[in-house]
Amino acid sequence: MGSGTPSFLGLLCALLTLRPGSGFYLPGLAPVSFCPAGSSSSDCQVNIQLFVNRLDSIESVLPYEYDFFDFCKDDQEKRPSENLGQVLFGERIETSPYKFSFMKTETCAKVCTKSYDVSKQEERTKLEFLKKGMQLNYQHHWIVDNMPVTWCYTVEDNQKYCNPGFPIGCYVDGNGHPKDACVINAQFNEKNTFYVFNHVDITITYHSGEGEGWTGARLVAATLEPRSYKHEDENKPVCEGEPMSIPGITNSNVKITYSYSVTFTVPHLRGLASICPPSPFLLSIMNSLVIVLFLSGMVAMIMLRTLHKDIARYNQVDQSYIRLFTQEESGWKQVHGDVFRPPRNGMVLSVFLGQGAQIFIMTFITLFLACLGFLSPANRGALMTCAVVLWVLLGTPAGYVSARMYKTFGGEKWKTNVLLTALLCPGIIFADFFVMNLILWVEGSSAAIPFGTLVAVLALWFGISVPLTFVGAYFGFKKQHPVRTNQIPRQIPEQSFFTKPLPGIIMGGILPFGCIFIQLFFILNSIWSHQMYYMFGFLFLVFIILVITCSEATVLLCYFHLCAEDYHWWWRSFLTSSFTAFYLLVYAVHYFFSKLQIIGAASTILYFGYTMIMVLIFFLFTGNGFVGGFFFFFFFVFRFSDSMVLVFFVLPPA
């Protein structure tokens, strides 16, 4: 394609970005206006407070609080109130000593000086922990006006990459090879040496309110450039000269002076490409749509050709009912008397279906709200808080679905069914989460959940979710599902390789996973590589496509199995779509060894522990994704066609 011809992705991106010029502000995200010192307006602020968050690393799953590294502290330290989602995610936001006045430029301003006497064990331990943080490439995460302070730098092909964090320092190993950020400066060349980024050049971009109908100015971006300077005079720092280095083997005292510079600027105009989503998002959507169209065509072909012919034949009133029933049946019609036979371990299946319904509804509502912007990344912790609250409040659908399915199977142990629905899967997840929290607590990580928060989560679970599950089960057990099955089970003929349960289940999970694996890469990056995920509109669309794909793949494969006269479809239909979780596990293992650089036993255990929680939730969700289309298909086919048989048997044609 020539350079002058617009690509399809570019055209699609342009269409996606067309929108009206007016806007609105979401609840809780009202903008703050700033004015220079001496302004007479009372509607804007003068001081800009910089907040600091926990520090994390792509080489370790263990995050740590800002104070854990012995950086400069705020004399009047305050912690904003954190919601449940922030606490569960391990965010630890606090004020910092970096305070600015709007429109006041400062150059090489001192923040504080940290001294380490290596003869004292406590100070030596702090220095060694700081060096370990630089070796593992731990990253600062600063916040200004609820916006992340980003570090932008140039990578290959002169492309600019912005990271919502910056390293505390870097390390040059014993062979003279610079690691991580040490490659940006040729002065970082001493072997077995740590270089501390003790100075930051901060640039705050603002948009003036002149002619906009509001007073003052609003901050639109904040960027910084980390630097390393060895300040000879801590009272009069000079931001030039040699970098601040710490030998790998430290035998002398170390003194680190932290400083900063801040400037204010207006934004530059940006092109359309800066606001378009990355190409992989669009490719993911198109890939998923192709799969859905293919499966929809296959299911439609079955419904229109096979079922339509059969039901039309039942409806031919000009034929004798004797001739109708003397015709030899074949395929799926031969098992209509056994298809609703209760499955083995129906209790467990009904519990899985109930929990899956709860997770399905929770995910749908959460993504829908996030798609509207109410759970944007700017509203920190809102996504997790919304998911937890919705899960607690959706105990009623879980109990209803589980009880109704268990009653359909002819079960009578309703108390056991309700208790397992309320406690089995959440109990497994909480036990895994509790063990992971113990490891975080032993390692001193900021991600360790406080004991009070654990008690609050348990109170929500047992005080709200469990009673609501009983309420839903009460209404579910009142429903009656009289289905007729033959007294003697029909013998299942010898099955070919492709109609046996295991091959069908393995093949059934491939197509749903093919719809999500590109989005899955970005989601795992946001979790483990600490990148911000913001494309919730695309994610919601992929979610809908995933549900449709799970339903259609299950309908298609189970129809083929029924045509082979194998009527054991209950567990097979659940496992066909839920086997997608196995591919998720395989992809997570591949991601761990190919994309991450995690070292240490604790970080490895934490990664796979949290991964197992995600796999279990995805297993229940995708296993329940077949319910809508699947039950419509089979109840329509077998219940309706069987009713037609009864009508013709009782009422002979005129």
Side-chain angles (χ1 to χ4, degrees), residues 6 18 76 116 155 209 308 314 416 430 433 455-456 562 618 639 643:
L18 292 177
Q76 301 176 346
Y116 301 94
V155 294
H308 179 72
Y314 288 134
T416 305
F430 185 83
F433 186 78
V455 174
L562 288 169
F618 198 72
R639 297 290 295 277
S643 300

Side-chain angles (χ1 to χ4, degrees), residues 155-214:
V155 294
E156 297 179 358
D157 300 329
N158 292 325
Q159 294 184 352
K160 205 167 191 179
Y161 178 79
C162 291
N163 188 29
F166 67 97
I168 63 178
C170 60
Y171 174 62
V172 177
D173 61 20
N175 297 322
H177 298 145
K179 291 186 58 180
D180 303 316
C182 277
V183 299
I184 65 176
N185 194 332
Q187 290 183 305
F188 300 160
N189 50 21
E190 296 184 22
K191 296 181 179 180
N192 193 23
T193 303
F194 297 89
Y195 294 93
V196 184
F197 291 136
N198 58 332
H199 176 85
V200 287
D201 291 328
I202 303 175
T203 301
I204 297 179
T205 307
Y206 66 93
H207 178 64
S208 177
E210 296 181 4
E212 298 288 344
W214 39 269

Side-chain angles (χ1 to χ4, degrees), residues 80-89 91-92 379-385 453:
S81 59
E82 297 175 337
N83 55 44
L84 179 62
Q86 288 178 290
V87 176
L88 293 178
F89 269 128
E91 290 196 5
R92 299 294 183 267
N379 197 355
R380 300 177 182 277
L383 188 71
M384 188 65 177
T385 303
T453 304

Side-chain angles (χ1 to χ4, degrees), residues 15 67 218 309 341 367 377 446 486 555 574 596 604 608 653:
L15 294 175
D67 296 339
R218 292 171 182 171
K309 287 183 179 179
R341 193 174 301 280
L367 290 181
S446 65
N486 296 333
V555 167
F574 180 87
L596 297 181
T604 303
F608 285 103

Side-chain angles (χ1 to χ4, degrees), residues 49-69:
Q49 174 67 65
L50 188 145
F51 291 87
V52 293
N53 202 344
R54 65 176 186 176
L55 286 83
D56 48 37
S57 169
I58 61 173
E59 299 182 22
S60 175
V61 180
L62 301 170
Y64 291 99
E65 289 193 49
Y66 178 82
D67 296 339
F68 220 79
F69 287 91

Side-chain angles (χ1 to χ4, degrees), residues 347 350 402-413 417:
M347 172 79 77
S350 62
S402 177
R404 187 167 180 177
M405 294 304 303
Y406 186 62
K407 187 68 175 292
T408 303
F409 298 154
E412 298 179 352
K413 299 179 180 179
N417 174 260

Side-chain angles (χ1 to χ4, degrees), residues 122-191:
E122 182 180 358
E123 296 185 6
R124 187 180 185 90
T125 301
K126 292 181 180 179
L127 181 61
E128 292 298 324
F129 190 79
L130 179 64
K131 291 161 60 176
K132 180 182 178 182
M134 288 185 282
Q135 188 172 8
L136 294 177
N137 195 28
Y138 269 84
Q139 306 272 320
H140 284 284
H141 293 281
W142 290 1
I143 303 168
V144 169
D145 193 26
N146 205 30
M147 297 182 301
V149 182
T150 58
W151 173 37
C152 297
Y153 53 92
T154 304
V155 294
E156 297 179 358
D157 300 329
N158 292 325
Q159 294 184 352
K160 205 167 191 179
Y161 178 79
C162 291
N163 188 29
F166 67 97
I168 63 178
C170 60
Y171 174 62
V172 177
D173 61 20
N175 297 322
H177 298 145
K179 291 186 58 180
D180 303 316
C182 277
V183 299
I184 65 176
N185 194 332
Q187 290 183 305
F188 300 160
N189 50 21
E190 296 184 22
K191 296 181 179 180

